[in-house]
Amino acid sequence: MINVLEHYGALRAARKLLTPLLRPLMGVPGTVGLALIGSLQSTDVGAGMTKGLADSDELTDKEKNT
């Protein structure tokens, strides 16, 4: 399902919408917000997304530790 949404740009749009909200509140970009939402589910989607973000250097060291 996530691959289909990513193909149509839904994840990119969610990142752009979440960044202005999460950056001042929590100090993290919108991409991390998607991983946070994924981690609230009963699956390991959040951990997988966070690992992918860390491996692709989309997170700073400070954001990884937050």
Side-chain angles (χ1 to χ4, degrees):
M1 183 71 172
I2 290 180
N3 288 336
V4 173
L5 292 174
E6 186 174 18
H7 175 72
Y8 289 111
L11 295 179
R12 198 170 35 251
R15 288 179 189 133
K16 287 185 180 187
L17 290 173
L18 289 173
T19 296
L21 296 172
L22 293 178
R23 182 68 72 182
L25 292 175
M26 298 175 68
V28 295
T31 307
V32 176
L34 294 175
L36 176 66
I37 292 168
S39 70
L40 295 175
Q41 299 175 0
S42 62
T43 62
D44 59 348
V45 172
M49 289 180 76
T50 303
K51 183 181 181 331
L53 292 170
D55 290 345
S56 65
D57 292 330
E58 291 187 42
L59 297 176
T60 63
D61 287 333
K62 181 180 176 185
E63 293 167 349
K64 289 178 194 177
N65 296 324
T66 303

